[in-house]
């Protein structure tokens, strides 16, 4: 028996990190688990010339077949060019739950005074909200028509030279992500779920999300439920991160708050993530393709390796997951073979491959 998993190498600095994450996962599986057979694909800016699209159909088909993928980051050009491949993939596979654990590993430098107590999980709705990319361009006939329609309904005045983005939050989408968050909390023995919105201003859209959370929380009396406005949460979580456990948020707030939380635990180099649907799951770091680092082999592989840990747990390879997480934690705590972003002295930092070599050695050490 073996696992068949799609591996999307990404673009920019993606392939450099993906290569190392694959080595680490393969090594952990060697120690205890069923071998992984990878189906490896490129996607993103580098394949457009050859394939005519940044996300070829055969890549999506592979994920649909295998049900699981590990993915490197993919660049989304600003303003023009193709739309986000990441958003498209999540929508096409209906990966509605974005799960981003935010846990502090000893040894990482951070500005927080007592980071040891940070162990929270962000659960972000992944398919709706402003982030769905439903937009109307300035000056377009449809946009003008929409503006006139909105004004005819007495919903307020919009300047004619406006571009418009649509924020749609459904009862269905809210219910399934909030249900997922409470069930996640139960499965993982978490104590509280905090729903985060701006429902005091966006009474219908964010209000629907908040009221749905209140309703669903009644089915889970053993989990403490809180609601927090997103602006107040941002301040509070920086001051008292230890007060938070599971957070559930609509798409856009989830995106922003996950980067904020990555900052609490040492930055994007150490923040893992997963996109989960009813049929498929795609595991990827929170960070992007950091194109300015392409070819430098300097970036931290930890975020994607820890995404691999989440993937191993998802496929029930718990021993391999544990050994891999412990090996990463040990290398990070030792601090001798770590990349520039978490090194105590950046002039002594090592590169992506050297840090992974140290993790591989640690896996060997832990397995004897
Ligand atoms: P980014 O996450 O790529 O990089 C921002 C900065 O964070 C980098 O300059 C670097 O200093 C640091 N950083 C990121 N990853 C790191 C790592 N592994 N180790 C150490 N430091 C790291 O964000 P960006 O520059 O805003 O985005 C670049 C591109 O990636 C954009 O096109 C964006 O749309 C895309 N993106 C893709 C994904 C994804 O594929 N899921 C996610 C976010 C952004």
């Amino acid at each position: 028996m073996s696992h068949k998993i799609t591996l999307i190498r990404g673009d920019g600095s993606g392939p450099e990190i993906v290569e190392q994450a694959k080595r680490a996962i393969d090594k952990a599986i060697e120690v205890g688990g069923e071998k992984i057979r990878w189906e490896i694909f490129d996607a993103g800016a580098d394949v457009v010339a050859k394939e005519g699209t940044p996300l070829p159909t055969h890549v999506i088909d592979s994920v649909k077949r295998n049900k699981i993928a590990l993915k490197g980051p993919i660049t989304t050009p600003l303003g023009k060019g193709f739309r986000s491949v990441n958003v498209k993939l999540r929508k096409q596979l209906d990966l509605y739950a974005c799960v981003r654990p935010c846990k502090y590993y000893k040894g990482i430098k951070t500005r927080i005074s007592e980071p040891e107590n940070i162990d929270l999980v962000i659960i972000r709705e992944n398919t709706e909200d402003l982030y769905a990319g439903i937009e109307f361009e300035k000056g377009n006939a449809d946009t003008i028509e929409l503006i006139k329609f909105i004004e005819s309904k007495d919903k307020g005045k919009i300047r004619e030279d406006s571009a418009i983005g649509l924020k749609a939050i459904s009862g269905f989408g809210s219910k399934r992500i909030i249900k997922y968050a409470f069930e996640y909390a139960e499965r993982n023995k978490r104590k509280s779920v905090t729903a985060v919105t701006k429902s005091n201003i966006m009474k219908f859209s964010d209000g629907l999300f908040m009221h749905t959370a209140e309703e669903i929380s009644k089915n889970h009396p053993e989990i403490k439920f809180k609601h927090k406005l997103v602006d107040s949460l941002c301040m509070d979580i920086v001051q008292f991160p230890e007060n938070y456990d599971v957070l559930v948020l609509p798409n856009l707030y989830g995106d922003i708050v996950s980067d904020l939380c990555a900052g609490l635990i040492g930055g994007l180099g150490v923040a893992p993530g997963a996109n989960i649907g009813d049929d498929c799951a795609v595991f990827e770091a929170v960070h992007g393709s950091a194109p300015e680092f392409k070819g430098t082999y300097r970036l931290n592989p930890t975020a994607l390796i820890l995404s691999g840990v989440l993937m191993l747990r998802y496929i029930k390879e718990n021993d391999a997951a544990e050994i891999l997480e412990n090996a990463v934690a040990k290398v990070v705590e030792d601090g001798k073979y770590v990349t520039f972003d978490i090194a105590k002295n950046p002039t002594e930092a090592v590169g992506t491959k050297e840090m992974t070599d140290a993790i591989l050695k640690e896996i060997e050490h832990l397995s004897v």
Side-chain angles (χ1 to χ4, degrees), residues 11 17 71-78 84 86 90 100 255 259 268-270 275 284-293 298-303 339-341:
D11 62 15
I17 296 174
K71 173 184 163 294
I74 295 176
T75 310
T76 304
L78 280 180
S84 169
N86 307 303
R90 289 167 201 164
R100 292 177 164 175
D255 187 39
D259 271 33
L268 288 172
V270 296
N275 298 296
E284 64 179 337
V286 173
H287 67 73
S289 57
E292 69 277 25
F293 283 90
R298 288 181 62 217
L299 289 185
N300 195 338
T302 302
T339 47
F340 72 94
D341 55 317

Side-chain angles (χ1 to χ4, degrees), residues 190 234 257 330 348:
R190 296 276 177 167
C234 285
V257 172
K330 184 75 173 50
E348 289 171 10

Side-chain angles (χ1 to χ4, degrees), residues 139-359:
N140 202 303
D142 288 347
T143 316
I144 310 260
E145 197 181 326
L146 182 61
I147 290 173
K148 285 193 178 133
F149 173 77
I150 291 168
E151 284 183 3
S152 75
K153 297 291 169 193
D154 256 352
K155 290 285 181 188
K157 175 124 190 74
I158 299 176
R159 285 183 185 279
E160 243 192 32
D161 61 348
S162 298
I164 298 178
L166 257 181
K167 173 174 170 120
I169 294 205
S170 71
F172 170 83
S174 304
K175 195 170 167 189
R176 75 173 172 173
I177 192 68
I178 292 160
K179 208 164 153 269
Y180 183 93
F182 275 97
E183 286 170 4
Y184 178 97
E186 268 176 9
R187 267 198 315 279
N188 293 282
K189 312 215 173 341
R190 296 276 177 167
K191 293 194 168 56
S192 75
V193 170
T194 306
V196 182
T197 71
K198 190 72 186 164
S199 57
N200 55 336
I201 304 295
M202 282 164 272
K203 294 184 192 298
F204 292 149
S205 50
D206 281 15
L208 176 60
F209 195 91
M210 183 196 72
H211 290 308
T212 309
E214 281 173 345
E215 274 312 302
I216 292 178
S217 73
K218 292 178 189 157
N219 302 331
H220 302 270
E222 70 293 354
I223 308 271
K224 189 169 175 205
F225 171 66
K226 299 182 261 187
H227 170 254
K228 199 98 183 126
L229 294 174
V230 64
D231 43 351
S232 145
L233 171 96
C234 285
M235 187 191 71
D236 203 46
I237 209 164
V238 170
Q239 292 189 308
F240 308 106
E242 66 281 3
N243 289 350
Y244 292 91
D245 196 347
V246 174
L247 284 91
V248 62
L249 311 90
N251 207 341
L252 184 63
Y253 308 144
D255 187 39
I256 296 166
V257 172
S258 5
D259 271 33
L260 184 152
C261 288
L264 300 177
I265 53 157
L268 288 172
V270 296
N275 298 296
I276 310 229
D278 290 333
D279 289 331
C280 301
V282 175
F283 296 81
E284 64 179 337
V286 173
H287 67 73
S289 57
E292 69 277 25
F293 283 90
K294 182 178 175 177
T296 65
Y297 292 83
R298 288 181 62 217
L299 289 185
N300 195 338
T302 302
L304 193 60
I305 293 178
L306 290 176
S307 307
V309 169
L310 301 178
M311 184 186 83
L312 289 169
R313 293 218 167 93
Y314 184 86
I315 60 174
K316 309 236 178 327
E317 291 290 2
N318 291 323
D319 291 347
E322 188 156 339
I323 207 163
L324 184 52
E325 185 176 14
N326 290 342
V328 171
K330 184 75 173 50
V331 169
V332 164
E333 187 176 356
D334 287 350
K336 251 176 102 183
Y337 298 101
V338 294
T339 47
F340 72 94
D341 55 317
I342 56 169
K344 294 243 156 49
N345 179 357
T347 59
E348 289 171 10
V350 301
T352 317
K353 179 173 179 300
E354 292 71 26
M355 182 168 177
T356 313
D357 289 344
I359 293 169

Side-chain angles (χ1 to χ4, degrees), residues 9-20 42 46 72-73 294 297:
R9 297 171 71 239
D11 62 15
S13 306
E16 296 161 36
I17 296 174
V18 166
E19 190 187 340
Q20 300 308 319
D42 284 316
D46 302 345
K294 182 178 175 177
Y297 292 83

